Amino acid sequence: MTDIDPWGDVEIADYGRTMERFGIEPIASVADRLPDNRLVRRGIVFGQRDLETVLDARDRGDPFAVMTGLMPSGVFHFGHLAVLDQARMFQEMGAELTLCVADIEAYATRDIPLDEARELAVEEYLLNYVALGLDLDATDFYFQSEAGNDHLVRSKLFSRYVTQNEFEATYGTAAPGKLASALTQYADILRPQAPENGGPKPTVVPVGIDQDPHVRLTRDVASRYRETAYVKPASTYHRFMRGLQGGKMSSSDPTSYIALTDSVSEAKRKIDAAKTGGRTSVEEHREKGGVIEEDMVFELLAFHLIRDDDELARIRREYESGAMLSGELKEIAKERLEVFLREHHENRKEARPKVEAYLEERTETGFGVDT
Ligand code: TRP
């Protein structure tokens, strides 16, 4: 059986089995120690490793961190929101937040030039993050290509602590670009614990389960590295939101996602074309009800657009009983999307000068990137 390929097309058929196989614990075992959170309540965040280390630090009043990253390879869409929501949950609990733009990884594994990666990162990540309320001044935000000498040196030193066998067994390859990206990512994950950042300290990494191979090997590196007594990083995992047509949501297929920069009319068209769990005729739908598990519009509502549990439960009941038709469900989604996107686009406009000022103030000099 092959491992999960973080650079491949990851589709998880059975989350329970995947958890068992890789030793991921259910989030339920620590949920009562977390703040009330929609993604946790709804089982969208389903798994964790060692989250106790972070929660214990919080309880003791000790410093702890949350760290995650994104590869700038396409637009920022609703499928990306779960990571940011979790990062903010931990930040509200008192964690220091570190956010990385994986531009080296994009270059080495996707052939995306650094200047293009930077532009994507600003337009798609930074502007959306700030529009969604992220405070950049309270965040260690960085590009891998500007991570600083110590960071990049550590990423090389870490090579000492992973064998070729482990690497190949985990990733199915030891291709140079993947080696370089993986080692850089271990340094990313351990960055909040670096001496210059006041480490070691418990750190949680919210990621999609496709990134778990990196988490596992970083945990090995953390326990083997001699120079710093790293705490093995903790992690949380969320379910992937499926694409609007069913199947995988993919950045390379615009019909599969709604981007945060999609116009309202474009977003509505995508909802109109989305796969539903509706029956073939109104009569059949009224009689048997909609198949909610097959309904991608409901999935979007459940993940992000409906915050109130009672309201979501009412929609579920009405849809499953046949009282609500797919067209009516789509109308709800379109209304919510319109409100969300209009507000978000407005917030993006306000975010732009803040982001520009922030980038201006940065002292780092990019690697061969004119900014
Ligand atoms: N590999 C991640 C992706 O493909 C990006 C990434 C780089 C990352 N460094 C990280 C994610 C550290 C989490 C933590 O999107």
Side-chain angles (χ1 to χ4, degrees):
M1 209 174 359
T2 56
D3 203 332
I4 298 167
D5 175 4
W7 298 286
D9 243 349
V10 177
E11 259 192 280
I12 304 293
D14 183 335
Y15 282 94
R17 276 192 54 189
T18 307
M19 286 169 72
E20 221 163 89
R21 182 160 168 236
F22 295 109
I24 295 171
E25 300 295 326
I27 195 80
S29 58
V30 290
D32 59 345
R33 300 180 65 192
L34 288 168
D36 186 35
N37 177 277
R38 175 183 92 258
L39 299 175
V40 174
R41 264 192 338 258
R42 296 183 185 172
I44 293 165
V45 173
F46 65 90
Q48 50 97 8
R49 289 183 191 276
D50 270 2
L51 198 55
E52 291 87 355
T53 58
V54 159
L55 297 167
D56 291 348
R58 188 256 332 251
D59 292 351
R60 285 193 307 267
D62 289 347
F64 62 102
V66 55
M67 179 304 132
T68 192
L70 275 170
M71 175 151 60
S73 59
V75 299
F76 189 92
H77 54 61
F78 275 87
H80 294 119
L81 275 179
V83 161
L84 191 65
D85 280 353
Q86 289 173 79
R88 296 184 59 192
M89 172 181 77
F90 288 113
Q91 196 182 30
E92 279 159 23
M93 285 165 64
E96 304 156 12
L97 173 61
T98 301
L99 277 179
C100 155
V101 174
D103 59 346
I104 290 182
E105 182 179 10
Y107 184 94
T109 69
R110 297 277 162 91
D111 202 16
I112 297 176
L114 288 180
D115 54 355
E116 212 173 280
R118 167 170 301 257
E119 194 175 318
L120 266 176
V122 171
E123 287 300 317
E124 294 299 334
Y125 298 125
L126 267 180
L127 278 170
N128 286 321
Y129 287 158
V130 173
L132 290 165
L134 191 86
D135 177 4
L136 282 177
D137 294 326
T139 308
D140 174 14
F141 174 87
Y142 69 99
F143 294 84
Q144 283 177 334
S145 65
E146 296 181 351
N149 196 52
D150 291 356
H151 184 106
L152 296 169
V153 168
R154 276 191 300 270
S155 74
K156 306 283 181 295
L157 300 184
F158 291 161
S159 63
R160 170 74 184 76
Y161 302 99
V162 192
T163 68
Q164 178 163 355
N165 275 342
E166 286 171 324
F167 202 89
E168 286 178 344
T170 304
Y171 300 110
T173 171
K178 293 185 178 175
L179 260 173
S181 301
L183 290 166
T184 310
Q185 185 153 345
Y186 309 159
D188 294 336
I189 292 175
L190 296 173
R191 180 179 176 95
Q193 301 202 55
E196 70 269 22
N197 291 322
K201 68 186 96 150
T203 304
V204 56
V205 190
V207 280
I209 199 161
D210 60 317
Q211 298 295 305
D212 187 51
H214 295 309
V215 171
R216 273 182 266 135
L217 285 191
T218 308
R219 286 164 57 83
D220 290 339
V221 167
S223 56
R224 295 170 188 168
Y225 189 69
R226 297 192 207 99
E227 282 71 13
T228 304
Y230 287 122
V231 183
K232 275 191 186 187
S235 49
T236 57
Y237 304 93
H238 60 272
R239 273 171 211 280
F240 292 122
M241 195 166 127
R242 288 173 292 175
L244 292 170
Q245 311 285 333
K248 201 175 142 59
M249 185 177 289
S250 159
S251 298
S252 56
D253 175 10
T255 67
S256 77
Y257 61 74
I258 292 172
L260 270 68
T261 47
D262 276 351
S263 67
V264 169
S265 58
E266 201 169 350
K268 286 183 173 177
R269 269 198 304 280
K270 288 182 181 180
I271 292 293
D272 277 332
K275 175 172 182 280
T276 74
R279 306 285 181 174
T280 40
S281 69
V282 173
E283 293 71 39
E284 194 190 342
H285 191 95
R286 294 275 186 230
E287 192 190 319
K288 296 184 182 157
V291 189
I292 210 124
E293 296 74 28
E294 298 302 318
D295 201 291
M296 300 308 125
V297 179
F298 185 80
E299 182 140 321
L300 182 63
L301 292 174
F303 267 64
H304 294 297
L305 289 178
I306 296 208
R307 303 277 154 141
D308 181 55
D309 284 357
D310 292 339
E311 188 181 3
L312 190 69
R314 180 184 58 76
I315 293 172
R316 174 190 283 277
R317 260 194 325 272
E318 289 184 11
Y319 193 58
E320 285 190 316
S321 74
M324 185 185 287
L325 301 173
S326 296
E328 292 165 331
L329 188 70
K330 285 183 169 179
E331 286 310 313
I332 297 175
K334 287 192 273 186
E335 247 169 61
R336 294 304 163 110
L337 261 178
E338 175 155 6
V339 172
F340 182 99
L341 290 176
R342 279 200 199 291
E343 187 185 332
H344 185 71
H345 295 165
E346 216 31 62
N347 291 343
R348 264 180 71 95
K349 274 189 212 144
E350 283 169 29
R352 195 172 285 277
K354 282 189 215 164
V355 167
E356 278 166 9
Y358 174 82
L359 289 171
E360 196 102 327
E361 274 169 32
R362 291 165 57 86
T363 48
E364 284 95 332
T365 47
F367 174 78
V369 180
D370 262 337
T371 50

